[in-house]
Amino acid sequence: MKIKRPFIEEILKDTYGDDYQRIFDKAPLIQYLDKKMGAIDRGCTARRNLANLYAIYSITYRYVNDYYNDKDSYSEFEGYSYSELKDFCNSRYGGERLQNHGYNNRAIGEFRNKTETKEDLFVIKDGKYKIFPDYMYAEKVDISKTVNTIIEKFIELIKTKDEDTIGIIEAVSKEESLEKKREALKKQLAEDAEARMFEIISFAILKRYYAGKTVWYGEEKSSVKKYNLRLYKTGRTNANDGGIDFVLKPVGRFFQVTEVGRYDKYFLDIDKVMRYPITFVVKTEKENEEIQIEMLEELKKHYGTEISSLKSYREAIEEIITLGDLNEMIDKFSEDDITEIVKEIILYFNLEMNIDDSEDEKED
């Protein structure tokens, strides 16, 4: 079985020498980590998922001190309490706001799917958790220390990547001319941008774009007033709750950030809000018309030529905003606009990636 992450292969070689491949082949837990750590790859568009990794780490971290190379005692052990495990996760880099997702059935099912194993990742009893004992071993070799080393190295790489990203964004506002600032900001918008980063940047751009526009609104003719449009972010990008991403007040316009080609997700998003009109912000260089044609073809696959269904879905797509549209908005921004956009990106990047600048990472 091929090892995907070079840093994992290096750790295994340093630890097990010529036996490194055999250990990997016999260790589903390490295989799972290898498949889960693609977020550090250059050009990776996947969302990172620290919840599952920290759930594992919260147990292996304690296990090393309590049950290393003592399988019999560990097998009799009922497990660690959820509260202490969650406290540990929340004290790690990027884990401050993590909830219970790493310990739920979805995470357990993912482990089975990625490793083709039969036993659940966690043994859960009376609100206590431990990793299934066999997964702590590759044949007779206790791999828990290696698991910790791999996760710690991954977090180190993620932290470096985050710092590099912030540095790149901060550099945008430091460019010498307005044109260079615009071009530097455009470079952050690409089809291969990481999903959460694209959502953050597109929000910052759209928020600034709509901030310069006004509408007249009132319940009665005599109470009509002029209001500035204001875009709100309705949730966190890693919530994975399928909710609407942005809403524009006071007009009540919904925005959903997505990727081209996933048209079944478009229809699902539309259905979730009872076919209320949605503006889709799409990470693509394709033209709006091309996307609409592709979407219509996909609709026909689902609903045939049923006019009422086709009409209701088409009317539920208020607008499609692409990379080209976002770049056109950037061309209209002033230096002050770009400075504010950069501040907004950094603010939400720190929030979304669970980075707290106010304190150093806590130790257990």
Side-chain angles (χ1 to χ4, degrees):
M1 189 179 300
K2 182 175 177 57
I3 304 172
K4 294 183 177 182
R5 313 296 160 212
F7 83 92
I8 292 180
E9 184 172 352
E10 183 178 338
I11 289 171
L12 292 176
K13 285 180 177 179
D14 288 345
T15 307
Y16 303 110
D18 293 340
D19 283 339
Y20 81 94
Q21 186 65 57
R22 180 181 65 83
I23 295 294
F24 180 78
D25 293 341
K26 297 293 184 179
L29 190 52
I30 296 178
Q31 294 168 23
Y32 174 72
L33 296 179
D34 187 49
K35 293 176 180 178
K36 282 291 292 180
M37 294 181 169
I40 61 168
D41 294 345
R42 182 181 297 275
C44 174
T45 63
R47 298 170 185 260
R48 70 184 69 181
N49 185 347
L50 295 181
N52 294 16
L53 299 180
Y54 277 153
I56 292 170
Y57 188 39
S58 66
I59 294 173
T60 55
Y61 185 90
R62 284 165 169 72
Y63 167 93
V64 165
N65 294 322
D66 299 337
Y67 296 102
Y68 185 73
N69 266 331
D70 190 356
K71 189 173 184 179
D72 290 340
S73 296
Y74 181 64
S75 297
E76 295 177 3
F77 172 58
E78 290 189 350
Y80 298 103
S81 71
Y82 169 71
S83 60
E84 64 179 320
L85 296 178
K86 182 177 180 296
D87 286 346
F88 177 89
C89 293
N90 293 154
S91 72
R92 304 298 104 179
Y93 177 81
E96 181 184 353
R97 299 175 183 87
L98 293 178
Q99 299 300 317
N100 68 336
H101 303 90
Y103 301 94
N104 63 18
N105 289 332
R106 188 173 183 177
I108 292 170
E110 183 193 62
F111 177 83
R112 271 205 229 99
N113 293 335
K114 287 186 178 291
T115 59
E116 298 181 357
T117 50
K118 294 181 179 179
E119 300 294 339
D120 289 344
L121 172 60
F122 299 121
V123 178
I124 306 172
K125 183 178 180 181
D126 298 329
K128 294 183 177 181
Y129 294 75
K130 70 177 182 181
I131 292 172
F132 183 66
D134 287 357
Y135 296 149
M136 292 295 201
Y137 289 82
E139 294 181 334
K140 295 183 178 181
V141 178
D142 190 320
I143 60 167
S144 58
K145 290 183 179 180
T146 305
V147 168
N148 288 351
T149 301
I150 290 171
I151 294 175
E152 288 159 5
K153 182 62 178 179
F154 175 75
I155 298 305
E156 177 187 325
L157 294 171
I158 282 291
K159 188 174 182 180
T160 298
K161 186 176 181 181
D162 288 346
E163 291 169 349
D164 290 345
T165 299
I166 290 176
I168 291 170
I169 297 299
E170 287 178 336
V172 171
S173 59
K174 296 177 182 177
E175 291 288 350
E176 295 178 358
S177 66
L178 175 58
E179 187 60 33
K180 286 184 178 180
K181 289 177 181 178
R182 288 171 175 166
E183 291 305 312
L185 183 57
K186 287 179 183 179
K187 285 182 180 179
Q188 307 312 310
L189 292 171
E191 285 187 323
D192 63 355
E194 192 269 338
R196 280 187 289 188
M197 199 63 202
F198 174 71
E199 183 173 323
I200 292 167
I201 294 174
S202 62
F203 170 74
I205 291 171
L206 289 168
K207 181 178 179 181
R208 195 66 183 176
Y209 174 76
Y210 287 114
K213 299 182 179 300
T214 58
V215 293
W216 292 87
Y217 180 81
E219 293 184 2
E220 299 177 357
K221 186 175 181 180
S222 59
S223 65
V224 171
K225 296 180 181 179
K226 184 167 72 172
Y227 291 87
N228 290 317
L229 291 178
R230 184 171 177 84
L231 191 68
Y232 289 86
K233 211 166 180 303
T234 57
R236 301 180 60 220
T237 61
N238 61 346
N240 198 27
D241 56 6
I244 293 301
D245 295 318
F246 319 143
V247 64
L248 187 65
K249 283 194 67 180
V251 295
R253 185 172 174 183
F254 287 177
F255 294 74
Q256 186 73 17
V257 181
T258 188
E259 299 185 32
V260 73
R262 300 177 61 188
Y263 296 120
D264 56 335
K265 184 180 181 301
Y266 288 47
F267 309 145
L268 179 62
D269 290 333
I270 291 169
D271 284 338
K272 284 178 179 177
V273 291
M274 305 298 290
R275 303 188 187 180
Y276 183 90
I278 299 176
T279 294
F280 287 97
V281 184
V282 189
K283 190 175 65 169
T284 182
E285 294 179 358
K286 291 184 177 182
E287 296 294 331
N288 303 55
E289 295 78 9
E290 184 178 355
I291 295 173
Q292 291 183 32
I293 291 171
E294 291 178 354
M295 193 179 299
L296 180 59
E297 291 302 313
E298 193 67 28
L299 269 172
K300 289 179 179 178
K301 290 179 184 177
H302 282 74
Y303 300 101
T305 56
E306 185 183 336
I307 302 300
S308 60
S309 291
L310 291 175
K311 186 173 183 291
S312 65
Y313 277 104
R314 292 184 70 177
E315 289 177 348
I317 301 169
E318 184 162 355
E319 184 182 0
I320 294 174
I321 297 174
T322 65
L323 294 174
D325 298 316
L326 293 171
N327 284 330
E328 288 181 11
M329 294 176 192
I330 291 173
D331 285 334
K332 298 175 182 178
F333 288 143
S334 67
E335 291 199 23
D336 288 342
D337 289 330
I338 292 177
T339 298
E340 291 305 311
I341 288 170
V342 169
K343 289 180 181 178
E344 197 83 20
I345 292 171
I346 293 173
L347 171 67
Y348 277 96
F349 182 84
N350 286 333
L351 174 65
E352 300 296 348
M353 303 309 178
N354 295 318
I355 301 170
D356 185 358
D357 290 332
S358 65
E359 57 180 324
D360 296 327
E361 180 183 345
K362 303 166 189 174
E363 295 298 329
D364 181 67

